[in-house]
Amino acid sequence: MASTSASASASRGLKVLPSGRPGRGRLYVNLPDGRAVAWYDRRANRISVLADERREEILTALRPYLTGTVAIGPPPVPTAEDLLRLSLPPDEDLAPNRPGEAQLGTLTYGTTGTRARHRLRQELTVRQRMGDVLDALAELEDWKVLHSLHSLHPIADHLLIGPPGVFCIRTVQGRRQRAVIGDLLLTVGRSDPTPDPREARRAAAYATRALSTPVTPVLAVVDATRLEVAPTLRDVRVITPSTTSTFLTNAPTTLKLPDVEALFTTARDRRTWH
């Protein structure tokens, strides 16, 4: 009993901090000075211990977060992608970006008028809707997703990387109206046509050059009451939140898992997109 009490008391000096978006990624166990002594990989259900003499303290600190049978041991030998990721400066890492990061920033810190703020909230809503769908897909080990991909200028609302390839996704507000997508233009309701298909192609071509791998342009239409796609539109894929999982999981495999990891490591580095 005394031993358990001492261990719990000693573990109070350790802090458990998440890495990446909430509920995903790793949990790091740090000393008060910020040095990591362990991390918990929730996907692999494994604790990597850097300071074996603190094993009991580490387990006590992580116990509220553990589920099922957890493996414990020294860190695995880092891959080349691990080393690149570890050397990535935090300000250059795009992985923590939330869906609609730019809209969130403007709404929080900007000084736009009422109409502009309403438009930004609508844009934010559709990006978050699509982001939730993609995050759910990325909970599967084989998929990786980045949101609000931008460097000197916006590139993609979402970038999805998985066994079927790389997808550069541009979101479209359906506004509870009919959406008609042609080879060059998109029309929602009675509003003026917009060049979304061309913008999607341009973004995917830019991503293809940056990543040195084929990237498929995708339009994600959110909240349209009816969706019509021209039969001649073959190079740009069109999805909705409800069709995303079926479309992507049924696509043929073109990338191996190490390729997915390597592309994600490259894509999350803001400097890739300069």
Side-chain angles (χ1 to χ4, degrees):
M1 187 70 177
S3 174
T4 302
S5 175
S7 176
S9 175
S11 69
R12 292 191 189 117
L14 300 180
K15 294 182 179 180
V16 179
L17 299 173
S19 171
R21 291 186 292 277
R24 306 181 62 218
R26 293 174 173 176
L27 291 175
Y28 281 87
V29 183
N30 293 350
L31 293 170
D33 63 5
R35 286 180 298 155
V37 292
W39 69 78
Y40 173 43
D41 188 326
R42 286 176 281 195
R43 285 183 172 174
N45 213 19
R46 186 182 194 280
I47 300 173
S48 294
V49 179
L50 297 172
D52 197 61
E53 70 277 5
R54 293 182 175 267
R55 179 178 289 227
E56 291 304 318
E57 301 173 51
I58 291 166
L59 287 173
T60 299
L62 284 173
R63 189 163 290 123
Y65 309 97
L66 304 179
T67 58
T69 302
V70 180
I72 305 172
V77 177
T79 63
E81 287 73 31
D82 290 332
L83 295 174
L84 283 173
R85 185 179 66 251
L86 291 169
S87 66
L88 182 62
D91 289 345
E92 304 293 349
D93 191 359
L94 298 173
N97 280 4
R98 298 162 293 180
E101 190 75 46
Q103 288 75 19
L104 281 166
T106 304
L107 286 169
T108 304
Y109 303 108
T111 57
T112 53
T114 302
R115 292 185 64 181
R117 291 182 69 83
H118 178 68
R119 176 181 56 79
L120 284 169
R121 289 193 186 95
Q122 289 180 322
E123 292 176 0
L124 175 61
T125 297
V126 297
R127 283 161 176 76
Q128 288 177 330
R129 278 276 307 280
M130 201 63 215
D132 288 343
V133 172
L134 297 174
D135 281 340
L137 185 65
E139 289 294 340
L140 303 176
E141 189 174 348
D142 297 351
W143 291 89
K144 303 290 183 182
V145 64
L146 291 169
H147 301 295
S148 306
L149 192 64
H150 57 85
S151 182
L152 301 178
H153 56 82
I155 298 166
D157 296 327
H158 316 280
L159 188 79
L160 188 68
I161 307 172
V166 184
F167 301 88
C168 189
I169 302 174
R170 180 182 180 90
T171 54
V172 176
Q173 298 179 62
R175 300 197 296 270
R176 301 188 183 279
Q177 300 180 62
R178 184 182 71 156
V180 180
I181 304 177
D183 290 340
L184 302 176
L185 298 172
L186 177 146
T187 305
V188 176
R190 297 183 178 181
S191 56
D192 292 335
T194 56
D196 287 270
R198 284 180 287 177
E199 293 295 337
R201 290 189 186 96
R202 186 177 295 116
Y206 183 87
T208 295
R209 292 192 297 272
L211 297 175
S212 300
T213 195
V215 177
T216 301
V218 177
L219 288 175
V221 184
V222 181
D223 282 340
T225 55
R226 184 177 172 185
L227 180 59
E228 298 178 11
V229 181
T232 52
L233 184 66
R234 297 189 180 94
D235 60 327
V236 179
R237 306 298 175 88
V238 180
I239 60 176
T240 66
S242 61
T243 63
T244 300
S245 179
T246 301
F247 161 68
L248 293 173
T249 54
N250 288 341
T253 297
T254 61
L255 295 176
K256 297 179 180 179
L257 293 186
D259 300 325
V260 173
E261 292 286 350
L263 284 168
F264 179 68
T265 298
T266 302
R268 69 189 293 177
D269 188 341
R270 189 188 306 273
R271 296 167 296 186
T272 298
W273 307 100
H274 285 176

